[in-house]
Amino acid sequence: ARCIEACCVAHKWVDTRPNSEGAVEIIRDPEALNLYHLVYNVVAPVSAPLGHEVVDPSLEPGSDGQVPGGVAICDDDKGTRRFRYLRGAPPAPTPGTPDQFLRTFSGSLAEMLSEAANAQEWFVSHWWGEPVLAFVRCLEAHKRDFQPAEGSRYWICAYANNQSRIADELGDQGPLSSPFFKALELAVGAVLVVDADSIVTTRMWCGFENVVIAQKQKRFAMATARGKTGHVLALDPLPIDFAKDPERPAEMQAERQGKFPAQRLLQFLETKLQDAEASCQSDKIMIENVVEQDLGGFDAANSSLRVIAATNLFALGQVGAESAAVLN
């Protein structure tokens, strides 16, 4: 979060997609920066291997050949502009001094920042279009309310996967061999980050994750952010509720969860993960087949999300016909 607030505007980070006129726009509000933007401007460049190049026909280099994040290289033979990340051409180290650049590194951002293998206690399911600063507030709220042990970690796909070789990371053996499934198997619990419009319920990879969460009966919570504050929702009282009043944790839970935006839960009452979409149609078909053939279908996950939403709406006194039907 501190990096985004300090660097987004100052370093002129750009949107990943050209506007209606075909021009690349600079992101002028850090609060609007989402994970697509962060991966494009920061995560992929800083974790790219030496000399890594990506095709990007949308960028317009300046007179010095520079573009946001790298050096533009024109490919006259194919007529395709490529741009190479700044990490791809680091200056040579001064003789007799340590080399500050990781010239042979190729991996994820998490691997670059930590040499040791670490077990992630919490798996995070989310939509990449969620503003990153709101996402951070969700996890800060989760940490505040669950009070995990010191050093507990969250598994977040954008940072845990190698963004320079994402196809290799995902592999060709299907979702059950993917990093997502493996991380979920090892995680103690999962947190679903709910964006302002609950779009997360309409994304197929998130649907797959929630099917696995339900099947493996992982400890589960939802988290969302409104303004500068994050809110967490779970079926049972959380450690923070017991800390506030050991004699009345359920009342503390009701008071705390009453601040969770009810409007964001309404869409969950009619959750149909099987109707979710994916950026790649082949991914959608592949996930549907795996869920139906190997994971028992979408019903358990749909029911789990509907019940947690309906239970909180009931506690808030906002029980409509949909909520009552789910709880019955």
Side-chain angles (χ1 to χ4, degrees), residues 97-108:
T97 63
D99 189 349
Q100 61 178 314
F101 293 94
L102 299 173
R103 295 172 184 271
T104 60
F105 175 81
S106 179
S108 69

Side-chain angles (χ1 to χ4, degrees), residues 191-224:
V191 52
L192 176 65
V193 173
V194 181
D195 55 280
D197 297 316
S198 301
I199 292 175
V200 68
T201 63
T202 69
R203 307 309 301 164
M204 183 55 77
W205 272 105
C206 295
F208 167 73
E209 293 161 0
N210 280 276
V211 167
V212 177
I213 291 166
Q215 188 210 42
K216 295 187 175 297
Q217 298 182 333
K218 296 291 183 179
R219 194 174 185 188
F220 180 72
M222 293 182 184
T224 197

